[in-house]
Amino acid sequence: MARSRKIPATKYPVERFTLDNGLRVVLTPDRSAPVVGVAVVYDVGIRSEPEGRTGFAHLFEHLMFQGSENLEKLAHFRHVQGAGGTFNGSTHLDYTDYFEVLPAGALERALFLEADRMRGPRLTEENLLNQIDVVKEEIRVNVLNRPYGGFPWLKLPPVMFSTFANSHDGYGSFGDLESATVDDAKAFFDRYYAAGNATLAVAGDFDVAEATAMIRRHFDDVPARPAPVLPDFDEPGIDRERRDTYTDRLAPLGGVASAWRVPDPIGDFASYLPFVVLAEVLTDGEASRLIERLVQRDRSVTSIGGYIGFMGDEFGVRNPTALLLQAHMPPGGDSDKVLRTVDEEIDRLVQDGLTPGELERTQARIATHLLRDTDAVLGRALPMAVLELQRGDPGLLNELPRLVGEVTEAQIVTAAATLRPEGRSTVEVLPGAGS
């Protein structure tokens, strides 16, 4: 059968250089609109937290907004918003990011702000205690007092993984957070927030020579510190099905989530990419296999989704990671029946292959999402910073739509054949609302 026209690569320009202090820089100019996106990504995330300090990576992200070497508390907010910009940060399994989107004329302001806190945030007792309370409240709102809070990204890793790095609660326990000290914060900053452990990316309306001069002006004198050696986060293999069940006192209905290990997303990208497409084949869109079967035909679930990575960041995660399926069930739902049906549909895919047009439709949907996301300046700056950090290849962002379009049916079938029950980890949430 003839394949459809291949999906083209994008052509966003990429300029790269490294400062003497080790900071890696990526520039991707685009003069079409007077806007810039600035992203700084540090090679530290939830997996890097030491035992007894769960939630520390996320807590430290908060501390980075509480003033810096030359700026008082809340000055970052005032300077960005005063220029008409927006900002934020987020903590992931393998990195922490900080970013701004501003009018092009405010680029130097963003660079100054990021360089100033790279030299040193204001790590005071007052700031620490205040942000511990903020994070605890965030845990209450997002996990403890929300139906399905932490399902499955906090609940499934302890079932699937054995090591502390991969299995612990990334939001953190109240006890660990409350016992954190300013000295802990300073040690964390000294270890992980080195210029040589970070990347800076700028996308949008700027002149490369002028931006380079600005970056050197503000970052050249950030002290050089050695980047920590990246630990080996690998896990022993799974040779039997693992399952766990818990009751959610707020959940009105049951749910079930399963995960399978997938190839190394960096060391074996060619084998990993078919799993990214497979997750979408199974669950993306009304015509996808599991939605058509479980939601529309059997009505054994009310919704089901599939994705790679516990935080859904398939191109920003290191090994070990997984393909996840997450479903919510109607009253009286049967998780064993759901899992059996999933197995049946995967077996059918392996035995019969894909239907005409199924792969091309899925590839087009994935490529559309990738192209839409990179249309915004931050949608280029952030992923390019991560790709530089983890792979030394920010230009891969240009190639992803085309590479997705080159995944073959045979590769999808081979990937699906590895999703066996004996390699599956599953967590079921039982409804507790009203009980």
Side-chain angles (χ1 to χ4, degrees):
M1 182 181 69
R3 287 178 61 91
S4 62
R5 183 170 60 88
K6 289 185 177 181
I7 299 167
T10 54
K11 297 180 180 179
Y12 296 115
V14 177
E15 302 273 351
R16 303 168 64 216
F17 59 93
T18 302
L19 301 184
D20 289 344
N21 57 20
L23 178 67
R24 286 170 280 173
V25 180
V26 180
L27 302 178
T28 176
D30 175 5
R31 311 308 293 267
S32 62
V35 180
V36 290
V38 177
V40 177
V41 179
Y42 293 88
D43 200 347
V44 57
I46 291 168
R47 282 200 250 229
S48 298
E49 295 169 347
E51 292 194 51
R53 288 293 176 265
T54 58
F56 207 90
H58 177 227
L59 172 63
F60 201 88
E61 175 216 320
H62 280 250
L63 290 172
M64 286 286 280
F65 287 97
Q66 302 306 302
S68 54
E69 188 172 88
N70 293 297
L71 294 172
E72 73 279 10
K73 188 172 183 176
L74 301 181
H76 196 108
F77 299 61
R78 177 165 49 83
H79 284 296
V80 174
Q81 292 173 337
T86 60
F87 65 94
N88 212 331
S90 59
T91 309
H92 300 252
L93 289 177
D94 296 308
Y95 65 91
T96 306
D97 59 42
Y98 303 89
F99 50 88
E100 295 87 14
V101 177
L102 306 103
L107 171 59
E108 189 159 15
R109 180 178 302 206
L111 296 174
F112 163 74
L113 293 170
E114 290 296 351
D116 204 56
R117 62 178 168 187
M118 186 179 286
R119 290 187 194 90
R122 290 192 178 227
L123 302 177
T124 66
E125 188 76 16
E126 177 188 1
N127 284 345
L128 177 63
L129 294 177
N130 174 268
Q131 292 309 301
I132 287 172
D133 286 341
V134 170
V135 171
K136 286 167 60 179
E137 184 61 21
E138 193 171 316
I139 294 170
R140 292 186 186 100
V141 171
N142 292 336
V143 180
L144 300 180
N145 296 320
R146 171 182 288 183
Y148 313 105
F151 173 74
W153 80 277
L154 294 179
K155 299 296 185 180
L156 195 47
V159 181
M160 186 170 200
F161 298 127
S162 304
T163 66
F164 171 81
N166 295 309
S167 65
H168 74 273
D169 183 341
Y171 248 136
S173 72
F174 280 17
D176 283 355
L177 291 168
E178 290 165 351
S179 65
T181 67
V182 172
D183 285 342
D184 292 330
K186 290 178 178 177
F188 195 82
F189 175 80
D190 288 342
R191 178 170 175 78
Y192 293 110
Y193 277 72
N197 205 41
T199 59
L200 163 68
V202 183
D205 185 14
F206 59 86
D207 175 82
V208 170
E210 291 177 0
T212 299
M214 290 181 195
I215 290 166
R216 292 194 178 280
R217 182 157 58 245
H218 292 289
F219 287 91
D220 264 348
D221 65 348
V222 175
R225 298 196 309 278
V229 176
L230 185 69
D232 180 1
F233 293 125
D234 202 12
E235 286 274 340
I238 296 174
D239 56 7
R240 59 176 179 81
E241 184 175 13
R242 300 178 181 180
R243 294 192 66 166
D244 193 21
T245 301
Y246 73 99
T247 299
D248 183 336
R249 63 183 178 84
L250 298 175
L253 298 168
V256 62
S258 292
W260 295 261
R261 289 282 297 274
V262 297
D264 186 337
I266 297 176
D268 192 8
F269 188 60
S271 298
Y272 171 80
L273 194 57
F275 285 87
V276 175
V277 181
L278 173 60
E280 304 298 316
V281 166
L282 293 174
T283 64
D284 188 38
E286 296 299 304
S288 63
R289 288 173 175 254
L290 295 184
I291 290 181
E292 192 280 329
R293 173 73 189 275
L294 281 89
V295 178
Q296 298 175 353
R297 195 194 322 171
D298 294 357
R299 300 186 183 276
S300 56
V301 304
T302 56
S303 66
I304 187 167
Y307 48 97
I308 301 287
F310 291 89
M311 303 180 79
D313 45 0
E314 65 268 29
F315 299 121
V317 66
R318 291 193 178 101
N319 202 45
T321 190
L323 184 153
L324 283 79
L325 296 176
Q326 172 185 347
H328 292 268
M329 297 181 291
D334 184 340
S335 62
D336 289 328
K337 179 181 178 182
V338 171
L339 295 177
R340 286 195 303 270
T341 306
V342 168
D343 291 339
E344 289 173 9
E345 288 301 310
I346 291 173
D347 288 343
R348 185 167 68 88
L349 190 159
V350 172
Q351 293 166 10
D352 301 339
L354 298 169
T355 59
E358 185 177 14
L359 178 57
E360 290 78 10
R361 180 181 70 242
T362 303
Q363 289 167 319
R365 288 175 69 96
I366 297 173
T368 297
H369 291 310
L370 288 169
L371 294 168
R372 179 196 62 199
D373 291 345
T374 57
D375 193 49
V377 290
L378 191 61
R380 278 166 260 158
L382 258 178
M384 281 191 179
V386 175
L387 291 170
E388 171 64 38
L389 186 79
Q390 296 185 342
R391 302 168 184 264
D393 185 11
L396 179 62
L397 187 67
N398 279 320
E399 301 298 322
L400 287 176
R402 177 183 60 79
L403 293 173
V404 163
E406 291 177 353
V407 171
T408 67
E409 178 178 351
Q411 290 175 308
I412 296 293
V413 170
T414 298
T418 68
L419 305 187
R420 306 306 307 154
E422 58 269 20
R424 178 171 60 203
S425 298
T426 297
V427 63
E428 180 180 3
V429 53
L430 302 176
S435 62

